[in-house]
Amino acid sequence: PVLRFWRWDDQGRAAVVALNFSHRRQRIELHFPYGGKWQNVVTGRTREVAGGALDLTFGPFSAALFIPV
């Protein structure tokens, strides 16, 4: 299973988190509060979110933390 959640700081800036607790690869649809460019601070990769979600594949015991850029 992949745990997914959103967080906001006191200024209203969002973060989207996904954690794969499985020993298997997991393909998920990760939803975002709004579109635009988001950076995964774990990998440094920036993705364009359109339509409110990204299709992602997570390796075993991996994580992602996305912040808007």
Side-chain angles (χ1 to χ4, degrees):
V2 178
L3 175 67
R4 298 166 261 202
F5 59 93
W6 298 349
R7 297 284 298 172
W8 286 268
D9 66 12
D10 293 338
Q11 288 77 42
R13 294 176 296 214
V16 177
V17 179
L19 305 164
N20 181 10
F21 289 102
S22 174
H23 65 281
R24 295 191 172 116
R25 292 172 51 105
Q26 302 285 328
R27 185 170 171 87
I28 67 162
E29 182 177 65
L30 184 61
H31 294 270
F32 289 78
Y34 48 86
K37 291 187 181 198
W38 290 77
Q39 182 180 29
N40 181 348
V41 296
V42 175
T43 65
R45 184 175 178 189
T46 299
R47 305 283 301 261
E48 183 72 31
V49 175
L54 287 176
D55 289 325
L56 300 170
T57 301
F58 283 84
F61 305 108
S62 63
L65 168 60
F66 287 93
I67 59 171
V69 291

